[in-house]
Amino acid sequence: MAKPMSANTEITTETSSGRHHYRAQTARRYALLGGLTLLLLLCLCIDLSTGPANFTLGEVIHTLLHPETAKAQLRVVIWEIRMPIALMAITVGAGLSVAGAQMQTILANPLASPFTLGVSAAAGFGAALALVLGVSIIPSMVEIMIPINAFIMAMLTALLIHAFSRMRGVTVETIVLLGIALVFTFNALLALLQYVASEQALAAVVFWTMGSLVKATWTKVAITAGALLIVLPFFIRHSWALTALRLGDAKAESMGVNVKGLRLRTMLFVSLLAAIPVSFVGSIGFIGLVGPHIARMLVGEDQRFFMPAAIICGALIMSATSIVSKILIPGAILPIGVITALVGVPFFFSLIFTQRKSAW
Amino acid sequence: MVTLRLNNLSTRYGHHEVVRDITTPTIPGGSLTAVIGPNAAGKSSLFRRIAGLANGQGEVEVGGVEYDRNTICYMPQDTGANAVLSVYESIILASKQGRGLKVSDQELIAIDQLLEDLDIMPLAHRNLGQLSGGQRQLVALAQTLIRSPKVLLMDEPTSALDLHRQMEVLGFMQRKAEETGMVVMIAIHDLNHALHYCAQALVIQDGRMQGYGTCQEIIDQSLLENVYRVRGHVELNSLGQRQLVLRGPLAHL
């Protein structure tokens, strides 16, 4: 090896600390991820225990571990009624959060998320299109058409944002303005659909615009989880490349990353992750914004840690919000989208005002 | 020793041909090659074309080494980054592209050694966003060197460094090239540094190669007048080294 550029005796003592510090940091991150996972499991149990009939945590855990010996009422309420809703909260939170994390990464934009850039609104419109027009056309196919429609609309919107973001002179703020324009457009189109919708479809569309978990089923949970399982291997395989994007395009390219291809494929996967939750539980805002930011603060942006942290944080926030939605007004379940928006909007504002001053 | 030869190399930026038909003799490794020319001459485009980051006609021949994804490394001009990553993580990142997720002790030892060599160990766990321009350039150098390139293309690597650091980095690269036999091409504006540290020079103007040879041959009065449009000459200083004496810009025609 070359001689050190200048003699510095202190460096010898720091040499070993380079990798030791890194190993210690890595261990802390694993511990943090483990801790967050435990917290998520705890949240899941509390979520299962709260509702019109409250159960103790002990009862919940016993029913989960030994359903065959649990009381029938407890088993039915926990496994058949509350479990799909609780798991839906987790999968939706995870999906939206990782979608937001990757949108922020590939657009180099801290304000990006499926909700703020109109991808969720587009998916909602696509879903409503299937419901309002699809109900009368092929009734048996509606269940499948809703997520497919949502995905197609979300994908087209994501591609539009992607194309726009590549234009010269486009800044972080202009992308957000485009997002706002897209949200308005799709909301207007949704209103138009509501105008022509049948009463039954109208009720479903209104329900969506608020975002609610109560119509979760095991099938919907499986599809949402399935979307994550399809997408995550791609993100894991490209962990280093996605992290490299955060060093800027020129540097990522010089490291051998196919920047254009990676960005495009990521955008397509993100639209899948954003579309599926919206088509099942409606418009749930800001999880895709708040989740990744908390993850980034906790573990930084090495995707090997950032992505799992974003997944767990998103799931945790949704699970906690699900609990809050049930206990805020006893006996009633508030639409979860309303709560996430109420918490998310101030967070979004604080990001707008602080993002220029510090690294995000 | 590694060698590099360019045959009829061209590339475009939009409709504009920014590198035009560049053919060089065999450029030897083991010493530094200065790539000199005025602003917008096509130096960065040439580097991007050699590294395969820009498409175009012509061939890049690398001799004396097996070719893999890290054979030719391009170190772009620094643009800064606000990623929440430490210097150490950013270097791991550079070394792990296209490889597995686990980071081995060997890889970390190599990074420690490199940080020590570059005298930037104190920066190791700083966030990238907290670095000064000069520190960022040193980190960028570490990110490139960790890949053990055989042909290293450095785009103005010392532009943000103070004089002391400029000389340290160029001296370091000179030794590194000698030890490893790699080809190092440096786009550089300071011709005195080129005279002092580089063995060869390649002159580019308007995307074309205007000359290639030893620095002694290439950097002279006619280069200053014809390529840089300044009045001046090269003379021996009191240490017996060749040095530029500049008198001012040539008047516009």
Side-chain angles (χ1 to χ4, degrees), chain A residues 177-189:
Chain A
L177 290 178
L178 171 74
I180 292 169
L182 287 170
V183 170
F184 279 135
T185 308
F186 286 113
N187 283 347
L189 290 171

Side-chain angles (χ1 to χ4, degrees), chain A residues 1 6 29 168 254 301, chain B residues 13 84 89 112 117 119 147:
Chain A
M1 279 307 281
S6 67
R29 286 175 178 170
R168 273 168 183 266
S254 76
E301 286 191 278
Chain B
Y13 186 76
V84 187
E89 286 177 294
D112 281 351
D117 287 350
D119 198 10
R147 297 164 63 195

Side-chain angles (χ1 to χ4, degrees), chain A residues 1-2 5-6 11 15 19 21-23 29 168 240 246-247 251 253-255 301 304 360, chain B residues 13 48 69 74 82 84 89 92-93 97 100-101 103 105 112 116-117 119 125 143 147 165 179:
Chain A
M1 279 307 281
M5 290 206 310
S6 67
I11 279 185
T15 303
R19 64 178 180 278
H21 185 286
Y22 175 75
R23 286 286 189 222
R29 286 175 178 170
R168 273 168 183 266
W240 293 119
R246 294 290 294 115
L247 301 179
K251 196 160 272 180
E253 260 189 344
S254 76
M255 290 177 182
E301 286 191 278
R304 295 173 307 148
W360 51 279
Chain B
Y13 186 76
R48 287 176 53 79
R69 64 179 284 148
Y74 169 53
N82 58 356
V84 187
E89 286 177 294
I92 292 176
L93 180 62
Q97 287 302 327
L101 293 180
V103 184
D105 276 338
D112 281 351
E116 190 188 341
D117 287 350
D119 198 10
H125 302 292
Q143 287 166 351
R147 297 164 63 195
R165 280 292 201 179
E179 282 167 19

Side-chain angles (χ1 to χ4, degrees), chain A:
Chain A
M1 279 307 281
K3 282 186 289 180
M5 290 206 310
S6 67
N8 188 339
T9 44
E10 277 176 62
I11 279 185
T12 359
T13 52
E14 290 216 32
T15 303
S16 56
S17 79
R19 64 178 180 278
H20 291 149
H21 185 286
Y22 175 75
R23 286 286 189 222
Q25 186 187 45
T26 306
R28 272 199 305 278
R29 286 175 178 170
Y30 278 122
L32 202 62
L33 289 179
L36 284 172
T37 309
L38 288 179
L39 205 58
L40 178 61
L41 288 176
L42 180 68
C43 241
L44 173 68
C45 291
I46 297 173
D47 195 8
L48 291 172
S49 73
T50 48
N54 282 322
F55 305 121
T56 64
L57 273 183
E59 285 173 317
V60 170
I61 292 166
H62 180 260
T63 314
L64 288 178
L65 298 177
H66 310 285
E68 65 287 350
T69 59
K71 277 186 278 179
Q73 183 222 359
L74 211 61
R75 195 172 61 230
V76 169
V77 169
I78 287 182
W79 275 103
E80 285 168 34
I81 299 173
R82 291 187 190 170
M83 189 58 111
I85 296 177
L87 288 182
M88 198 67 185
I90 287 175
T91 50
V92 163
L96 289 176
S97 185
V98 75
Q102 302 307 13
M103 275 181 109
Q104 289 166 15
T105 300
I106 59 173
L107 296 173
N109 189 333
L111 302 175
S113 80
F115 190 72
T116 50
L117 295 192
V119 177
S120 294
F125 170 68
L129 203 63
L131 190 92
V132 174
L133 305 178
V135 163
S136 54
I137 304 168
I138 353 174
S140 59
M141 291 288 281
V142 170
E143 278 268 331
I144 306 162
M145 274 178 66
I146 291 171
I148 291 176
N149 258 25
F151 170 57
I152 291 170
M153 289 307 297
M155 187 181 68
L156 292 175
T157 309
L159 289 179
L160 180 72
I161 295 164
H162 176 258
F164 190 74
S165 70
R166 296 293 91 204
M167 284 162 61
R168 273 168 183 266
V170 171
T171 63
V172 166
E173 287 82 6
T174 35
I175 293 277
V176 174
L177 290 178
L178 171 74
I180 292 169
L182 287 170
V183 170
F184 279 135
T185 308
F186 286 113
N187 283 347
L189 290 171
L190 192 66
L192 192 68
L193 275 183
Q194 287 175 332
Y195 186 73
V196 300
S198 68
E199 227 167 80
Q200 187 201 357
L202 183 65
V205 171
V206 170
F207 172 78
W208 259 328
T209 54
M210 289 194 270
S212 173
L213 294 167
V214 293
K215 288 197 177 168
T217 62
W218 280 107
T219 319
K220 290 175 182 176
V221 171
I223 295 175
T224 317
L228 269 173
L229 289 179
I230 291 171
V231 169
L232 288 184
F234 172 82
F235 288 154
I236 294 169
R237 202 165 58 246
H238 292 89
S239 289
W240 293 119
L242 283 164
T243 315
L245 280 187
R246 294 290 294 115
L247 301 179
D249 286 9
K251 196 160 272 180
E253 260 189 344
S254 76
M255 290 177 182
V257 177
N258 173 1
V259 172
K260 278 184 190 164
L262 179 65
R263 197 173 263 135
L264 187 64
R265 281 183 291 168
T266 304
M267 207 54 160
L268 291 177
F269 282 129
V270 160
S271 51
L272 179 69
L273 282 183
I276 303 289
V278 170
S279 60
F280 292 145
V281 299
S283 179
I284 292 180
F286 299 105
I287 296 294
L289 191 74
V290 180
H293 276 283
I294 293 176
R296 193 178 284 114
M297 282 187 255
L298 292 174
V299 299
E301 286 191 278
D302 179 340
Q303 288 267 342
R304 295 173 307 148
F305 301 101
F306 176 46
M307 200 176 46
I311 289 172
I312 300 170
C313 284
L316 194 56
I317 296 168
M318 269 301 270
S319 193
T321 313
S322 168
I323 299 167
V324 172
S325 74
K326 286 188 275 189
I327 58 174
L328 219 52
I329 301 174
I333 300 178
L334 289 176
I336 199 164
V338 175
I339 300 172
T340 61
L342 286 176
V343 178
V345 169
F347 187 84
F348 185 58
F349 267 117
S350 70
L351 276 179
I352 291 175
F353 289 120
T354 57
Q355 63 130 339
R356 291 225 162 275
K357 291 178 209 145
S358 59
W360 51 279

Side-chain angles (χ1 to χ4, degrees), chain B residues 151-221:
Chain B
V151 174
L152 175 53
L153 311 166
M154 308 174 83
D155 207 342
E156 299 186 24
T158 56
S159 58
L161 300 180
D162 61 39
L163 199 53
H164 177 83
R165 280 292 201 179
Q166 284 179 33
M167 296 172 80
E168 270 194 333
V169 166
L170 290 169
F172 174 79
M173 287 315 302
Q174 203 179 26
R175 290 197 301 273
K176 194 90 182 161
E178 271 171 30
E179 282 167 19
T180 60
M182 69 172 156
V183 173
V184 180
M185 293 177 89
I186 300 185
I188 195 167
H189 279 301
D190 189 324
L191 297 181
N192 274 323
H193 279 338
L195 276 170
H196 195 75
Y197 293 100
C198 302
Q200 301 79 227
L202 190 155
V203 186
I204 296 186
Q205 192 176 21
D206 294 330
R208 292 184 198 284
M209 189 173 92
Q210 299 292 355
Y212 173 82
T214 65
C215 279
Q216 320 282 346
E217 293 163 359
I218 290 290
I219 299 174
D220 60 7
Q221 191 167 342

